[in-house]
Amino acid sequence: CLILVAAWALSSTVKALGAADYLTQILTGAVSVAWFPTIVFGAGMLISFTTGTSWGTMGILMPLVIPVALGLASSGDAVAGAKDWSLVPPVVAAVFSGAVFGDHCSPLSDTTIVSSMACDLEPTRHVVTQLPYALTAAAIAVVVGFIPSGFGLPGIVCLALGAIIIILLPRIVPPAAPAAD
């Protein structure tokens, strides 16, 4: 509860300071709009991995990146004041995905600690066992999800491509043999 309250307080502060408008001004022209979902995904992964909280990451990033996505997507709009919402779904997905990735893999996360205790492992050992799977899923999400959706490919196509790759991947790359302890 305290993490959520702190995240809400931080997001209110960010909003009051106009951080989203400032970031939009800085990023317009400096970063291609198409790469913004991938950048947000990376930021979410980093924040949640280093803090161990997916909820805190979502509370920090959502109020910041949605206005930036709207500002970046609408910056080249011919109609003054018109909002282009096409970038919002991939950016929201990037926040959720990045937050869950970090929370799943962070040695500071409560879920990692409880899972490692249930498996009778040290938390760092559990992280090492989870990273190859999480990094594989993250790479697939970036390559067939966030990059293509940033360039305008419909989300349903990205989801279908990702599902096909995940289904075929074990047939192409066999799982590694378990390490002997």
Side-chain angles (χ1 to χ4, degrees):
C1 287
L2 291 175
I3 291 171
L4 285 176
V5 170
W8 288 328
L10 181 61
S11 69
S12 296
T13 304
V14 164
K15 191 179 293 184
L17 291 173
D21 294 334
Y22 179 70
L23 278 176
T24 302
Q25 289 174 350
I26 289 174
L27 295 175
T28 300
V31 173
S32 171
V33 175
W35 292 100
F36 191 62
T38 305
I39 292 167
V40 170
F41 179 61
M45 289 171 59
L46 180 67
I47 292 169
S48 62
F49 187 84
T50 57
T51 62
T53 172
S54 56
W55 285 99
T57 301
M58 291 177 217
I60 291 166
L61 285 179
M62 278 301 181
L64 190 59
V65 299
I66 291 175
V68 173
L70 286 170
L72 287 175
S74 300
S75 61
D77 216 340
V79 181
K83 295 288 182 190
D84 179 359
W85 290 83
S86 63
L87 197 58
V88 172
V91 166
V92 169
V95 170
F96 286 150
S97 302
V100 171
F101 170 90
D103 185 49
H104 179 75
C105 295
S106 175
L108 305 173
S109 171
D110 57 345
T111 55
T112 301
I113 293 168
V114 170
S115 296
S116 66
M117 288 171 48
C119 297
D120 197 27
L121 291 170
E122 291 294 319
T124 52
R125 178 75 176 132
H126 182 67
V127 168
V128 169
T129 65
Q130 296 303 299
L131 273 176
Y133 301 105
L135 288 171
T136 300
I140 292 169
V142 167
V143 171
V144 299
F146 298 119
I147 293 173
S149 67
F151 282 95
L153 193 65
I156 192 73
V157 175
C158 296
L159 284 171
L161 289 172
I164 291 167
I165 289 172
I166 288 175
I167 290 168
L168 294 177
L169 193 61
R171 290 169 176 81
I172 298 168
V173 180
D181 285 326

